[in-house]
Amino acid sequence: SADGYVRGEGAVMFVLKRLRDARADGDRILALIRSSAVNQDGPSSGLTVPNGPAQQEVIRRALAAAEIPPGEIDYLEAHGTGTSLGDPIEMIAMGEVFRERHAPLCVGSVKTNIGHLEATAGVAGALKVILAFQHAEIPPHLHLREPSPRIPWEQLPVRVATRLEPWPRGDHPRRAGVSAFAFNGTNAHVVLEEAPEPEEDAGP
């Protein structure tokens, strides 16, 4: 039932360090960045018409760089602006990347909480994921009353988190992807992983 997006303003700051340096300095480690990828799809058909194949490519590149198969991503923080054309393109792109999963991929977007922070939108989504790691819960995607009829939900291996859900740790650390797509055709995707236990050796 969404028919547009809400603009917002905000700022997020992360302190980034190599894991070994953070441990040596006694820092509190909130999460690991396993990989990131960026691409540019050039001129598009319009402001709210993203490029689906370019979105697929950037997510695949991030997963390959992290050496993580699609089945080991537990949650995906979508760009999810709430537009009638952009959201279906994004969901279909996700469906292509994660189509071999045995269970649907849980997705959501922080924009239902704070609006579209434009240049800060991607890092706001990453902050949401880090908080979800800390609480071991996936927050609900707010205000979803009528799923978009333009998205073929039954054909896609994705589902929207509509209630607060426990996020148990399975046979791998909690992991999530975060997507951010810009007005100018730049696409970014980051693979995040929960902070390791102090005694674990997670490498450099």
Side-chain angles (χ1 to χ4, degrees), residues 26-201:
D27 295 327
R28 181 185 177 204
I29 301 167
L30 301 181
L32 302 180
I33 299 174
R34 289 292 304 266
S35 69
S36 63
V38 177
N39 68 9
Q40 165 60 246
D41 59 45
S44 67
S45 301
L47 188 63
T48 62
V49 188
N51 185 307
Q55 292 180 5
Q56 293 179 41
E57 195 264 346
V58 78
I59 296 172
R60 286 193 172 105
R61 279 180 49 199
L63 291 171
E67 299 181 343
I68 293 174
E72 292 187 10
I73 297 295
D74 307 313
Y75 172 77
L76 199 143
E77 175 67 12
H79 186 60
T81 55
T83 56
S84 61
L85 185 56
D87 282 7
I89 290 172
E90 182 177 8
M91 287 295 104
I92 291 169
M94 281 188 205
E96 286 297 314
V97 174
F98 295 97
R99 66 177 179 269
E100 302 300 327
R101 292 177 58 90
H102 297 297
L105 177 65
C106 185
V107 300
S109 173
V110 74
K111 293 177 181 67
T112 64
N113 301 86
I114 58 176
H116 191 333
L117 303 193
E118 300 189 0
T120 312
V123 287
L127 179 59
K128 171 187 167 181
V129 167
I130 291 169
L131 290 169
F133 284 158
Q134 292 177 331
H135 292 279
E137 293 179 318
I138 295 174
H141 185 84
L142 303 179
H143 314 302
L144 178 61
R145 292 183 292 273
E146 181 184 343
S148 171
R150 296 178 176 86
I151 298 174
W153 296 104
E154 295 182 358
Q155 302 172 30
L156 300 178
V158 298
R159 66 178 181 84
V160 179
T162 56
R163 57 181 177 79
L164 184 66
E165 299 183 18
W167 190 348
R169 184 183 299 166
D171 56 2
H172 60 263
R174 296 178 184 91
R175 294 174 178 147
V178 181
S179 291
F181 309 133
F183 283 162
N184 63 0
T186 298
N187 306 297
H189 191 79
V190 175
V191 177
L192 299 179
E193 184 174 293
E194 67 178 332
E197 296 295 333
E199 67 273 14
E200 289 182 357
D201 181 10

